[in-house]
Amino acid sequence: SHGFDILGPDGSNYKMAESFRPSLEEAKVKLEEQLAHIAGALVEDNNFSVSAHYRMVAEEEREAVNEAVERIVAEMPMLRRTYGKMVYELRPSAEWDKGKAVEWLIENWIKRSCELPVFPIYIGDDVTDEDAFRVMGGLGGFGIIVSDFPRLITDTAASYALRSPLEVLHFLDHFAFSSPSAPPSERISALVAGGSAAESESEASPFVERRTPAERYSER
């Protein structure tokens, strides 16, 4: 829910925009009514956002989805529209996003409950994850974007890239169990080197560095 609903490591729950739920429920009903005649349109309630998916909508009818969302935003100024992959989303008009949620989570829960140094890693595959990628350098960590074609991406704030959920699984497994005594930055450097070698030899799963170490660490 774009950081509006945060579950802490101790099981406690922080809801940033609980007061917006009635408006979101109303927006969902209106969207369903206005999109009912459009084949392939899907309305999804994400608790603290409402999504209008148009991936399965015929090209000539997608503008009708856009217009329906515009009408609802005009009627309900307490909500704002954002964009994702083939989806329009209605969110609370609050200054909050995934980046602010990550900062809040680390400062209010993780640093207070963990005696060891914190090295945050954020992994995401959506446009809305860019808000989190942009804050990771300042938090002493990094972001990883998941994309089928990571080397073609030029407008991401992520430091690294992986190509699929399976590569994410391999990365987490390797990062968690390889040389646990080594600093996280050294373990990442080893993964980058290993990924580059594997890519040149057999096109195996590369762990792609999006920026140079100097560029990455200059943000910290």
Side-chain angles (χ1 to χ4, degrees):
S1 296
H2 305 291
F4 286 103
D5 191 4
I6 302 175
L7 182 64
D10 60 355
S12 55
N13 192 225
Y14 178 72
K15 298 181 184 295
M16 169 61 189
E18 185 70 35
S19 62
F20 286 88
R21 273 301 300 166
S23 297
L24 289 165
E25 290 172 1
E26 180 182 351
K28 177 178 179 289
V29 172
K30 289 184 175 182
L31 264 179
E32 288 175 335
E33 291 174 349
Q34 296 189 33
L35 300 181
H37 67 287
I38 301 177
L42 173 66
V43 178
E44 181 183 9
D45 186 343
N46 303 304
N47 199 18
F48 290 105
S49 68
V50 176
S51 302
H53 298 269
Y54 58 90
R55 183 181 301 276
M56 303 301 293
V57 174
E59 188 73 32
E60 62 271 16
E61 293 193 279
R62 290 179 178 177
E63 181 57 27
V65 179
N66 175 53
E67 292 173 354
V69 173
E70 280 189 346
R71 284 193 296 271
I72 291 173
V73 171
E75 295 172 5
M76 307 182 72
M78 72 290 294
L79 303 179
R80 62 189 175 99
R81 173 164 66 168
T82 60
Y83 304 83
K85 292 182 177 180
M86 306 295 284
V87 61
Y88 299 119
E89 293 183 317
L90 295 177
R91 293 199 236 167
S93 295
E95 291 299 319
W96 195 257
D97 54 43
K98 291 181 179 180
K100 290 182 174 62
V102 169
E103 292 175 325
W104 190 94
L105 178 61
I106 290 175
E107 290 298 326
N108 289 275
W109 272 331
I110 296 179
K111 286 187 176 180
R112 293 181 182 181
S113 61
C114 183
E115 298 180 357
L116 298 175
V118 176
F119 186 81
I121 300 172
Y122 187 97
I123 303 174
D125 66 349
D126 193 70
V127 175
T128 59
D129 292 311
E130 291 295 331
D131 292 320
F133 294 153
R134 280 188 282 270
V135 306
M136 295 311 295
L139 295 173
F142 60 82
I144 302 174
I145 189 169
V146 182
S147 170
D148 292 335
F149 306 101
R151 295 193 183 279
L152 300 181
I153 299 173
T154 59
D155 58 350
T156 182
S159 299
Y160 300 96
L162 293 166
R163 292 194 298 204
S164 68
L166 181 59
E167 286 194 359
V168 173
L169 180 62
H170 290 167
F171 161 74
L172 293 175
D173 183 66
H174 188 92
F175 188 78
F177 297 107
S178 65
S179 304
S181 60
S185 58
E186 290 184 12
R187 292 155 69 186
I188 290 299
S189 296
L191 279 171
V192 172
S196 299
E199 182 184 18
S200 62
E201 292 174 6
S202 62
E203 283 297 307
S205 302
F207 185 63
V208 182
E209 186 168 20
R210 299 301 313 160
R211 288 170 287 168
T212 66
E215 290 173 326
R216 196 170 73 253
Y217 286 102
S218 66
E219 297 182 358
R220 299 184 179 181

